[in-house]
Amino acid sequence: MDSGHGAPVTTGLYVGRFQPFHLGHLEATKFILSRVDDLVIVVGSAHDSHTLENPFTAGERITMIRLGLKEGKIDPNRLTVLPLPDAEFHKVWVAHLLSQTPAFDEVFTNEPLTGRLLKEAGMRVERIPMFNRTSYTATEVRRRMLTGKNWQELLPRSVSAYVKQIKGDERIREIAQTDKAG
Amino acid sequence: MDSGHGAPVTTGLYVGRFQPFHLGHLEATKFILSRVDDLVIVVGSAHDSHTLENPFTAGERITMIRLGLKEGKIDPNRLTVLPLPDAEFHKVWVAHLLSQTPAFDEVFTNEPLTGRLLKEAGMRVERIPMFNRTSYTATEVRRRMLTGKNWQELLPRSVSAYVKQIKGDERIREIAQTDKAG
Amino acid sequence: MDSGHGAPVTTGLYVGRFQPFHLGHLEATKFILSRVDDLVIVVGSAHDSHTLENPFTAGERITMIRLGLKEGKIDPNRLTVLPLPDAEFHKVWVAHLLSQTPAFDEVFTNEPLTGRLLKEAGMRVERIPMFNRTSYTATEVRRRMLTGKNWQELLPRSVSAYVKQIKGDERIREIAQTDKAG
Amino acid sequence: MDSGHGAPVTTGLYVGRFQPFHLGHLEATKFILSRVDDLVIVVGSAHDSHTLENPFTAGERITMIRLGLKEGKIDPNRLTVLPLPDAEFHKVWVAHLLSQTPAFDEVFTNEPLTGRLLKEAGMRVERIPMFNRTSYTATEVRRRMLTGKNWQELLPRSVSAYVKQIKGDERIREIAQTDKAG
Amino acid sequence: MDSGHGAPVTTGLYVGRFQPFHLGHLEATKFILSRVDDLVIVVGSAHDSHTLENPFTAGERITMIRLGLKEGKIDPNRLTVLPLPDAEFHKVWVAHLLSQTPAFDEVFTNEPLTGRLLKEAGMRVERIPMFNRTSYTATEVRRRMLTGKNWQELLPRSVSAYVKQIKGDERIREIAQTDKAG
Amino acid sequence: MDSGHGAPVTTGLYVGRFQPFHLGHLEATKFILSRVDDLVIVVGSAHDSHTLENPFTAGERITMIRLGLKEGKIDPNRLTVLPLPDAEFHKVWVAHLLSQTPAFDEVFTNEPLTGRLLKEAGMRVERIPMFNRTSYTATEVRRRMLTGKNWQELLPRSVSAYVKQIKGDERIREIAQTDKAG
């Protein structure tokens, strides 16, 4: 594609689960947009929800991403956000991804298996620098939700408000109960 | 629905895996039948079998339930027993349940995720009181089968005889062997 | 199993889709119960619904069967009614059936593929005599629903009332509309 | 949600397959945007492609929609475009849809089964007026591609150019060949 | 790979359903082996069986192929025969094929969709010349089985004997009966 | 089947995952071939790959088996090598296996669940003697690949060379990295 100024438009792909979308994801998005013209954000494990690892539905995560990017004043013309269910088997995941997304030039991911599968299929893969690594991980956010610590400070303000509205932290604590009837 | 005596018939739903059906399940059934007119018993994870968590097939579990309820002198006119395979994803499980069962008014379950999903879908959910909690769990029954302890005392007599007949305790011990060839 | 009178109890299996349950199905059930002690009725294609061939959900069909058998004064102690989703492939269907049903001695079906698969697996298969063949088919019932003819006379009275209550005939006519937006 | 001006924001949902996205779809989008504040466009049958009914992948269809809406000068801030694979069974499709989309208030569709399922689940469903009905259907576009007629005039100019670029018309003609080796 | 004589070994891939394996398939195999060193024969739609289009299981078809190739005096060192289930969606079929087969250099097929998908993935695809086209198609063989005509003359003698042994022609006729109970 | 010398031909089935094919597998194959005339080797979990337990695709494993058996001078006329995807549920696995393989007389396996399922289906199952048990397990080979120890000495020379060529050891180490972006 042509940007209209002579140089070709480059499109990046950013793959994540966004459980939930936090300030580190927002920084990563800004970093990638400093490297490419357009960006396709892929919400992985899209069918999964209501587990400790994947508490939020794809619809909820897309809502979070849209709120967070708006708060971060990212131009919506440069972005596409898409859900992607897991493929049944690793070796067909790349073909599955290609069938569900607009064309792209390079992929940004830090997940080793995702990177390996894309490289074996001949794709160009780049790592994303870590921003305040210790706190800005979704694992840390979910850990704080579970233990009643301050998780709100790790999220964009509008995303934090949305999670409260849908009682997302309550959901995680309820799922974590293991008092099964047997 | 109308009972024919002016008062509407209420139908309860009882969801469990029944691996295997034990005396606590029988007590729970009696408790629920003291609260509703009719009862639909749903045998969850119906396609699963031959694992340590789910050793028995749905067909075997339905046979156990029918034997146990007959021994408990429960009126068969008030009962429907149905197998339900797991849904591929949590968020569609309630829709899946509704498509496979007769209409019901309230659900009885102690499993937190099941309860959460039903409540998010607007259903009325009630907990079941625990009867002799320490021993009357399927986990304890399977543990005793595995270690050769007295599991028979935890089951209705006819169910215990059926498990012996299909060599259910031997199956669990055989599955538990981890001497894989590599 | 033993009937308690010295003679072994025989169990029959009756496989059908029951879209919907009509008077011919009731006659067939009575015929089979004259041949065996207990009967397992399997509601096939259980996950399917809202198509012209399979308009009703498994839950709705089980409700119809229970109403029809009660109206026909069939003893509920002799019956088990179970939904069975289609297997992904024909050749594993029998194993799938066996995993979801209590043990049985012989199968009653007039469907050629079902009969073939059961016979290839070594099962005993018997055909069901046709009762007033021309009218008593589910295909005829659905045809009349679609064209506004008298379908009620082909169903047990209580089943007919239930189909009206859930607006089943309206559903079929609505699904049949092919005015797609393109 | 609140628009910030006191009135609540209303969100519409537009479900289609967009095989391919044509001028009628563009008119429909403008019509819906005259009725709601925000719009979620759902690309149905997302996993399907390379058939006569569904020749284009979800990624290709999303690219078409983005091109067409840009050409139609639709504000991207008001839109979300999402792929949705078919559910395995009709009766869980609505739950599946709800899990993959942001919250919405009403649905716009002319497809009878889609409408029926949404209404049975308690959703508000509205029909879309037809714009130049005879020609503006995807069926007509695919028919013209197959027979070498002028299909370009039925598509937004940029969508037409994209289909040519990916040789979409050639693909349809090649799939239609039925000279199988046997 | 190196043949040990300086020239690289070339491997061909031959995709078919082989319902059943007939003399035309044997001729095609000989033709391909005149063009490549090694050959991988892929038995497609491997999970399907007991339908009019796919009457035989993959295991039965592999048995036929082994018998036919032995009768045709093909060197088993040059051959690999593998079953391949259909992929759920066309666009991932090539990735699925690549994950299940040894590496190959070119594909031989006359099926348009198979050819299209392989070419879109950058594979080299060649057509197979037709040998006595009118009779040597699996469609014709199945038609003769169904109508009681001489199908044996179209198959290698040992394959014909095997089909008789497993009563394959009887199976097709039985499946074709459409006298459903309704 | 008849061997042509009066005695019937016996066929054995050898089920494994072969992750990767090592010298113990070669010894086991020779042992089984001393007991039966023909052998079907089934490559289980065929769709799985790129995990720590199942690093190699079915195509790669079939290539290894062919190389190893050739190096071991096993007569290819006596062998069939087939991939088998896992069945969705344990209780249909045997039916699934039977649909994908040529007929066989007895099964050789040391995996307890596989053996249990086959025995419940009435099959004859035999254990395989262990050859230099401590080292000759696929678990040990993968452990050495992961930790950079000498894994090559546990594989047939040609298989070892193939694994190096496809950078199989590098793949395992890359998959094992757990530095996820969160």
Side-chain angles (χ1 to χ4, degrees):
Chain A
M1 244 179 268
D2 196 289
S3 65
H5 301 83
V9 170
T10 59
T11 301
L13 191 87
Y14 176 20
V15 183
R17 289 191 293 114
F18 308 106
Q19 289 282 14
F21 185 83
H22 55 62
L23 289 166
H25 292 131
L26 184 55
E27 290 305 311
T29 304
K30 286 178 180 171
F31 166 78
I32 299 171
L33 282 171
S34 72
R35 304 280 295 270
V36 295
D37 299 300
D38 287 348
L39 178 58
V40 179
I41 297 182
V42 170
V43 178
S45 299
H47 279 23
D48 226 343
S49 75
H50 292 78
T51 67
L52 286 180
E53 287 292 297
N54 287 304
F56 302 106
T57 67
E60 290 166 344
R61 290 178 268 160
I62 290 167
T63 302
M64 291 179 204
I65 293 170
R66 284 176 62 86
L67 288 168
L69 298 182
K70 195 175 174 186
E71 186 175 324
K73 299 192 190 312
I74 312 278
D75 177 5
N77 279 302
R78 299 177 64 192
L79 283 165
T80 308
V81 184
L82 300 173
L84 186 76
D86 288 330
E88 203 178 347
F89 298 103
H90 289 333
K91 200 54 188 174
V92 303
W93 182 81
V94 174
H96 178 55
L97 172 78
L98 291 172
S99 79
Q100 301 294 302
T101 55
F104 54 85
D105 303 292
E106 52 188 320
V107 186
F108 295 82
T109 185
N110 288 341
E111 210 282 301
L113 175 60
T114 303
R116 175 86 202 178
L117 291 169
L118 289 161
K119 277 183 284 182
E120 285 193 9
M123 307 277 152
R124 204 169 123 205
V125 179
E126 295 191 37
R127 291 180 65 86
I128 308 163
M130 283 296 159
F131 306 96
N132 190 5
R133 174 81 221 242
T134 318
S135 307
Y136 287 172
T137 68
T139 304
E140 171 66 11
V141 177
R142 296 195 302 270
R143 198 187 62 74
R144 292 191 185 185
M145 284 177 169
L146 211 48
T147 55
K149 298 268 170 54
N150 183 347
W151 52 268
Q152 289 94 328
E153 68 180 10
L154 305 178
L155 268 52
R157 192 177 296 245
S158 53
V159 176
S160 172
Y162 174 72
V163 170
K164 287 303 286 181
Q165 180 197 321
I166 63 170
K167 297 182 184 172
D169 52 340
E170 181 191 301
R171 185 192 293 166
I172 287 188
R173 285 191 297 271
E174 197 155 332
I175 293 168
Q177 292 171 45
T178 55
D179 178 19
K180 302 200 177 189
Chain B
M1 243 179 271
D2 197 289
S3 66
H5 300 82
V9 170
T10 59
T11 302
L13 191 87
Y14 176 19
V15 183
R17 289 190 294 113
F18 308 106
Q19 289 283 11
F21 185 83
H22 54 65
L23 289 166
H25 291 131
L26 183 55
E27 290 306 310
T29 304
K30 286 177 179 171
F31 166 78
I32 299 171
L33 281 171
S34 73
R35 305 279 295 271
V36 295
D37 299 300
D38 286 348
L39 177 57
V40 179
I41 298 182
V42 170
V43 178
S45 299
H47 279 23
D48 225 344
S49 75
H50 292 79
T51 66
L52 286 180
E53 287 292 298
N54 286 304
F56 302 107
T57 68
E60 290 166 346
R61 289 179 268 160
I62 290 167
T63 302
M64 292 179 204
I65 292 170
R66 285 176 61 86
L67 288 168
L69 297 182
K70 196 175 174 186
E71 187 176 324
K73 300 192 191 311
I74 312 275
D75 177 5
N77 279 302
R78 298 177 64 193
L79 283 164
T80 308
V81 183
L82 300 173
L84 186 76
D86 288 329
E88 204 177 349
F89 298 102
H90 288 332
K91 200 56 189 174
V92 303
W93 182 80
V94 174
H96 177 55
L97 172 77
L98 291 172
S99 78
Q100 301 294 303
T101 55
F104 54 86
D105 301 293
E106 51 188 320
V107 187
F108 294 82
T109 185
N110 288 340
E111 210 282 301
L113 176 58
T114 302
R116 175 88 201 176
L117 292 169
L118 288 160
K119 277 183 285 183
E120 286 192 9
M123 306 278 152
R124 201 168 126 207
V125 179
E126 295 191 37
R127 292 181 64 85
I128 307 162
M130 284 296 159
F131 306 96
N132 191 4
R133 172 83 221 241
T134 319
S135 306
Y136 287 172
T137 69
T139 304
E140 172 66 10
V141 176
R142 296 195 303 270
R143 198 188 62 74
R144 292 190 186 186
M145 285 178 169
L146 210 49
T147 54
K149 299 266 169 57
N150 183 347
W151 52 268
Q152 287 96 327
E153 68 180 9
L154 305 177
L155 269 50
R157 195 178 295 245
S158 55
V159 176
S160 173
Y162 174 71
V163 170
K164 287 304 286 182
Q165 180 196 320
I166 62 169
K167 298 183 183 171
D169 52 340
E170 179 191 302
R171 186 193 293 167
I172 287 188
R173 286 192 295 273
E174 196 154 332
I175 293 169
Q177 292 170 45
T178 55
D179 179 19
K180 302 203 177 186
Chain C
M1 241 181 271
D2 195 290
S3 65
H5 299 84
V9 170
T10 57
T11 301
L13 191 88
Y14 175 19
V15 184
R17 289 191 293 113
F18 308 105
Q19 289 282 14
F21 184 83
H22 54 64
L23 289 166
H25 292 131
L26 184 54
E27 290 306 310
T29 304
K30 287 177 179 170
F31 167 78
I32 299 171
L33 282 171
S34 72
R35 306 279 295 272
V36 296
D37 299 300
D38 286 347
L39 177 57
V40 179
I41 298 182
V42 171
V43 178
S45 299
H47 278 23
D48 225 344
S49 75
H50 292 79
T51 66
L52 286 180
E53 287 292 298
N54 286 304
F56 302 107
T57 68
E60 290 165 345
R61 289 178 268 160
I62 289 167
T63 303
M64 291 179 206
I65 293 170
R66 284 176 63 85
L67 289 168
L69 297 181
K70 195 175 175 187
E71 186 175 324
K73 300 194 190 311
I74 312 275
D75 177 3
N77 280 302
R78 299 178 65 194
L79 281 165
T80 308
V81 183
L82 300 173
L84 186 77
D86 288 329
E88 203 177 349
F89 298 102
H90 289 333
K91 199 57 189 172
V92 302
W93 182 81
V94 174
H96 178 56
L97 171 77
L98 290 171
S99 79
Q100 301 295 301
T101 55
F104 53 87
D105 302 292
E106 51 188 319
V107 187
F108 295 82
T109 185
N110 288 340
E111 210 281 301
L113 176 58
T114 302
R116 175 88 202 177
L117 292 169
L118 289 160
K119 278 182 284 182
E120 286 193 9
M123 307 278 153
R124 202 168 125 207
V125 179
E126 295 191 37
R127 291 182 64 86
I128 307 162
M130 283 296 159
F131 307 95
N132 190 5
R133 173 80 221 241
T134 318
S135 306
Y136 287 172
T137 69
T139 304
E140 172 66 11
V141 177
R142 296 194 302 271
R143 198 187 62 74
R144 291 191 187 185
M145 286 177 169
L146 211 48
T147 54
K149 298 268 169 55
N150 183 347
W151 51 269
Q152 287 96 327
E153 68 181 9
L154 305 177
L155 269 51
R157 193 178 297 245
S158 54
V159 176
S160 172
Y162 174 71
V163 170
K164 287 304 287 182
Q165 180 196 321
I166 63 170
K167 298 183 185 172
D169 51 341
E170 179 191 302
R171 186 192 293 165
I172 288 188
R173 286 192 295 273
E174 196 154 333
I175 293 168
Q177 292 171 45
T178 55
D179 179 18
K180 302 200 176 188
Chain D
M1 244 178 269
D2 197 289
S3 67
H5 300 83
V9 170
T10 58
T11 301
L13 192 87
Y14 176 17
V15 183
R17 288 190 295 113
F18 308 106
Q19 290 282 14
F21 185 84
H22 54 64
L23 289 165
H25 292 131
L26 184 54
E27 290 307 310
T29 304
K30 286 177 179 172
F31 167 79
I32 299 171
L33 282 171
S34 73
R35 306 280 295 272
V36 295
D37 298 299
D38 286 348
L39 177 56
V40 178
I41 298 181
V42 171
V43 178
S45 299
H47 279 22
D48 224 343
S49 75
H50 291 78
T51 66
L52 285 180
E53 286 293 297
N54 285 304
F56 302 107
T57 68
E60 290 165 345
R61 289 178 269 161
I62 290 167
T63 303
M64 290 178 206
I65 292 170
R66 285 176 62 85
L67 288 168
L69 297 182
K70 194 174 175 187
E71 187 175 323
K73 300 194 189 312
I74 312 277
D75 177 5
N77 279 303
R78 299 178 63 192
L79 283 164
T80 308
V81 183
L82 299 173
L84 186 76
D86 288 330
E88 205 178 345
F89 298 102
H90 289 332
K91 199 56 189 173
V92 302
W93 182 81
V94 174
H96 178 55
L97 172 77
L98 290 172
S99 79
Q100 301 293 303
T101 54
F104 54 87
D105 302 292
E106 51 188 320
V107 186
F108 295 82
T109 185
N110 288 340
E111 211 281 301
L113 176 59
T114 303
R116 176 87 201 176
L117 292 169
L118 288 160
K119 277 182 286 183
E120 284 192 9
M123 307 278 153
R124 204 168 124 206
V125 179
E126 296 191 35
R127 292 182 64 86
I128 308 162
M130 284 293 160
F131 306 96
N132 190 3
R133 175 81 221 244
T134 318
S135 308
Y136 287 172
T137 69
T139 304
E140 172 66 11
V141 176
R142 296 196 303 270
R143 199 187 61 75
R144 292 191 185 185
M145 285 178 168
L146 211 47
T147 54
K149 298 269 169 55
N150 184 348
W151 51 269
Q152 288 96 328
E153 68 180 9
L154 304 178
L155 271 51
R157 194 177 297 244
S158 54
V159 176
S160 172
Y162 174 72
V163 171
K164 287 304 286 182
Q165 181 197 318
I166 63 170
K167 297 183 185 173
D169 52 340
E170 180 190 302
R171 185 191 293 165
I172 288 188
R173 285 192 296 272
E174 198 154 331
I175 293 168
Q177 291 171 45
T178 55
D179 179 18
K180 303 201 176 189
Chain E
M1 242 179 271
D2 196 292
S3 65
H5 300 83
V9 170
T10 58
T11 301
L13 192 87
Y14 176 19
V15 183
R17 288 190 294 114
F18 307 106
Q19 289 283 14
F21 185 83
H22 54 63
L23 289 166
H25 292 131
L26 183 55
E27 290 305 311
T29 305
K30 287 177 179 170
F31 166 78
I32 300 171
L33 282 171
S34 72
R35 305 280 295 271
V36 295
D37 299 300
D38 287 348
L39 178 58
V40 179
I41 297 181
V42 170
V43 177
S45 299
H47 279 23
D48 226 343
S49 75
H50 292 79
T51 66
L52 285 180
E53 286 293 296
N54 286 305
F56 302 106
T57 67
E60 291 166 345
R61 290 178 269 160
I62 290 167
T63 303
M64 291 178 205
I65 293 170
R66 285 175 61 86
L67 289 168
L69 297 181
K70 195 175 175 186
E71 186 175 323
K73 300 193 189 311
I74 312 278
D75 177 5
N77 279 301
R78 299 177 63 192
L79 282 165
T80 307
V81 183
L82 300 173
L84 186 76
D86 288 330
E88 203 178 348
F89 298 102
H90 288 332
K91 200 54 188 174
V92 303
W93 182 80
V94 174
H96 178 54
L97 172 78
L98 290 171
S99 79
Q100 301 294 302
T101 54
F104 54 86
D105 302 292
E106 51 188 321
V107 186
F108 295 82
T109 185
N110 288 339
E111 210 282 301
L113 175 59
T114 303
R116 175 85 201 179
L117 292 169
L118 289 160
K119 277 183 284 182
E120 286 193 8
M123 307 277 153
R124 204 170 124 203
V125 179
E126 295 192 36
R127 290 181 65 84
I128 308 163
M130 284 295 159
F131 305 96
N132 190 3
R133 174 82 220 239
T134 318
S135 307
Y136 287 172
T137 69
T139 304
E140 172 66 12
V141 176
R142 296 194 303 269
R143 198 187 63 74
R144 292 191 185 184
M145 285 177 169
L146 211 48
T147 54
K149 298 268 169 55
N150 184 349
W151 52 268
Q152 288 95 328
E153 68 180 9
L154 304 178
L155 269 51
R157 192 178 297 244
S158 54
V159 175
S160 172
Y162 173 73
V163 170
K164 287 304 286 181
Q165 181 196 319
I166 62 170
K167 297 182 184 170
D169 51 341
E170 180 191 301
R171 185 191 295 166
I172 287 187
R173 285 192 296 272
E174 197 155 331
I175 293 169
Q177 292 171 43
T178 54
D179 179 17
K180 303 200 175 187
Chain F
M1 245 179 269
D2 197 290
S3 66
H5 300 83
V9 170
T10 59
T11 300
L13 192 87
Y14 176 18
V15 183
R17 288 191 295 114
F18 308 105
Q19 289 283 13
F21 185 84
H22 54 65
L23 289 165
H25 292 132
L26 185 54
E27 290 306 311
T29 304
K30 286 177 179 171
F31 166 78
I32 299 171
L33 282 171
S34 73
R35 306 278 295 273
V36 295
D37 298 299
D38 286 348
L39 178 57
V40 179
I41 298 181
V42 171
V43 177
S45 299
H47 279 24
D48 225 343
S49 74
H50 292 79
T51 66
L52 285 181
E53 287 293 297
N54 286 304
F56 302 107
T57 67
E60 290 165 345
R61 290 178 269 161
I62 290 167
T63 303
M64 291 178 205
I65 293 170
R66 285 175 61 86
L67 288 168
L69 297 182
K70 195 175 175 187
E71 187 175 322
K73 300 192 191 310
I74 312 277
D75 177 4
N77 278 303
R78 299 177 64 192
L79 283 164
T80 308
V81 183
L82 299 174
L84 186 76
D86 289 330
E88 204 177 348
F89 298 103
H90 288 333
K91 200 56 188 173
V92 302
W93 183 80
V94 174
H96 178 55
L97 172 77
L98 290 171
S99 79
Q100 303 292 302
T101 54
F104 54 87
D105 302 292
E106 51 188 319
V107 186
F108 295 83
T109 184
N110 288 340
E111 211 282 301
L113 176 59
T114 303
R116 176 87 201 176
L117 292 168
L118 288 160
K119 277 182 285 183
E120 285 192 8
M123 306 277 154
R124 203 168 124 206
V125 179
E126 296 191 35
R127 292 182 63 86
I128 308 162
M130 283 296 159
F131 306 95
N132 190 4
R133 173 82 219 240
T134 319
S135 307
Y136 288 171
T137 68
T139 304
E140 171 67 11
V141 176
R142 295 195 303 270
R143 198 188 62 74
R144 292 190 186 186
M145 284 178 169
L146 211 47
T147 54
K149 298 270 169 55
N150 184 347
W151 51 269
Q152 287 96 327
E153 68 180 9
L154 305 177
L155 270 52
R157 193 178 297 245
S158 54
V159 176
S160 172
Y162 174 73
V163 171
K164 288 302 288 182
Q165 180 197 320
I166 63 169
K167 297 183 183 172
D169 52 341
E170 180 191 301
R171 186 192 294 166
I172 287 187
R173 286 191 296 273
E174 198 155 331
I175 293 169
Q177 292 171 44
T178 55
D179 178 18
K180 302 201 176 188

